[in-house]
């Protein structure tokens, strides 16, 4: 677990500290291996590799995804494409939610909604997702996406998302399509 | 204009025909050069090139974006990443809307909401966006995203989107950030 | 069942006919008593009585709710309040979805998103909800709300909604709160 | 202004204090009469009177609407109807946004999206809206809705909303429909 690029559980307090503290968030993961399973799942998201996004922080119920600016990620005006802003928001929320799911379950995005507040420009984007409610079947999350420019953070987008807990469907299983169809 | 990969205005009836007919949609673009400006703008979306999406149909108020399946576009279960489904939906809706904006204006995504209905799997995804209302300041659009597998189309996602008309802001202008900030 | 104000199953074809035909929609309810259970549930929605909304059409996977204009339903400009437009949209979608749920299940709104296209003015509003996908756990719906003025219909709002199927929770059960909490 | 049921500007610090402090929110209204205009507009929302909702707090960029439980506001399970939860969320967000609009402008809801987290039960609901970005044309807001039961608050819903600033359209003007149509 020392190879994880994000804070492992023992150092997660620093994340929680930034976001309000473990005592404040009140989230305790039902999966003792949540950090490893989230990182493993993220690593298998080829689309995150394609755009250069990485998982930079994780704690029970919260997750941060960072995306350095690249010219090939832009829309017609030279800003990061709104769809790519949505991609990292979807992942940050999804893994915040996955961290609160029990062992043996996998995660599926039901829907998300994103408001763009400012153009996505700067050195990098940072998406911070957090769980609002972790239910048995559904997990509701929110995300803020910031653009970092000259060291200052600016809010560029906000998202609300609904996730589904797919029980008894290991995240690494191969026949996920049939499973997703069946449960959803 | 013969180089455009999508239907030019004179053949747009075929698109409209598929979607309900020009008489049905009732949209007439206020910009006689809408097809060229949309294609030009799409070509400048580096993010569309990155993922391999192309503009395959266009008519006043409707737009289709196609995305062949690639392994590097997937999430952890091997389906097209939900964020990428959102990307092509955002573009299909955005260019459907842009086709109905007056000359000299550019387009900005205010927000979108997407529901995932089924896993994004198959040979390709097709996003079909259409305008519901083209107002002076705002354009409201909807999109359906289909997965094509063995020649059959299956609905995998639906989107609602709000666009802003940025008047007197040429889509190709360089200082778009300041402009976006100012108008939004 | 003869007391039902909307089309009973045997005449539901007229509804389907308007919306595209039973063959087109392809929905067959898993509950032979869907019409009675939907009407019964609607009748228990005191909020619908408060605003004067009625269920005017029903078929498997589609539902129409009508709302005559009243001065006490308005916002500050004299149009029907956007929140009330959302209320009838939520109900039309919710009962379209409920009609496709199995016997013994009840329905819960997970989320909805609504775009306002035009002011809600005229003699009445009509919300037409339809099911896009009826899954085992979740049902995804869409709705259009029209204002009827001088006999003409105008689209005033569009909605996307996610519903949850609460299995083994009779819609009329009393201890729904605990149940909702537990399942959600 | 002493008749206003909510905190007038001079005492607004108590609201801001609860929400994070004026220094934190950083909002200064461009309209010195924002409190009077918001209350006046709220008073003209007949739909708020119908359901018994009142404006209980206001500060630049934030607004609180309270709704005592009433049996005639419920859905089929005896909870406050999700559409009514949306109504007070829409108003709380809308007036948070209106407080940040310049004199002479009026406010229009473009769209909102709401996630239901828990059943709306208890003695009252409280919707707290806040502005995320107050742009020249659009204002983006968020809202949390809490149920108060035995003195404890529980989060029951979260909303994201987009508002439009209708410049040179007094909120009390009579011919709002034509104006809304024209600008939107």
């Amino acid at each position: 677990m020392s190879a994880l690029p994000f804070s492992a559980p023992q150092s997660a307090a620093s994340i929680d500290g930034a976001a309000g503290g473990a005592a404040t968030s009140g989230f305790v993961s039902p999966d003792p291996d949540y950090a490893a399973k989230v990182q493993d799942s993220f690593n298998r998201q080829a689309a995150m590799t394609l755009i250069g996004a990485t998982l930079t922080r994780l704690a029970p119920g919260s997750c941060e995804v960072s995306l350095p600016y690249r010219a090939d990620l832009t829309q017609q005006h030279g800003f990061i494409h709104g769809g790519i802003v949505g991609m990292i928001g979807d992942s940050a929320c999804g893994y915040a939610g996955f961290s609160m799911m029990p062992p043996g379950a996998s995660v599926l995005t039901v829907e998300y909604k994103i408001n763009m507040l400012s153009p996505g420009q700067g050195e990098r984007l940072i998406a911070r997702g957090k769980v609002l409610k972790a239910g048995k079947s559904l997990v509701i999350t929110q995300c803020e996406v910031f653009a970092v420019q000259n060291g200052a953070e600016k809010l560029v987008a906000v998202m609300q998302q609904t996730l589904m807990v797919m029980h008894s469907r290991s995240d690494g299983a191969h026949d996920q399509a049939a499973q997703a169809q069946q449960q959803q």
Side-chain angles (χ1 to χ4, degrees), chain A residues 11-147:
Chain A
S11 61
S14 65
I15 306 164
D16 275 337
T24 304
S25 79
F27 286 117
V28 176
S29 175
D31 188 343
D33 291 330
Y34 79 90
K37 83 171 177 188
V38 166
Q39 182 68 53
D40 174 61
S41 179
F42 188 92
N43 290 348
R44 282 184 284 109
Q45 287 210 335
M48 290 294 113
T49 303
L50 177 70
I51 64 173
T54 55
L55 196 55
T56 40
R57 284 177 186 265
L58 183 73
S62 65
C63 178
E64 183 186 284
V65 172
S66 298
L67 180 75
Y69 179 91
R70 280 188 354 209
D72 62 354
L73 303 178
T74 58
Q75 36 82 288
Q76 74 277 21
H77 306 146
F79 311 136
I80 303 282
H81 194 283
I84 286 186
V85 178
M87 277 182 75
I88 62 171
D90 182 33
S91 277
C93 284
Y95 285 120
F98 191 34
S99 75
M100 292 301 296
M101 295 183 188
S106 64
V107 56
L108 209 63
T109 296
V110 173
E111 59 86 34
Y112 61 86
K113 181 259 202 286
I114 186 165
N115 274 79
M116 306 297 176
L117 307 185
S118 292
Q121 57 180 350
E123 293 92 55
R124 69 181 56 240
L125 295 184
I126 298 179
R128 296 198 180 101
K130 65 174 179 180
V131 169
L132 295 183
K133 179 178 179 181
K136 189 180 164 192
S137 306
L138 298 176
V139 177
I140 313 300
T141 64
Q142 260 180 352
C143 183
E144 293 179 315
V145 184
F146 298 88

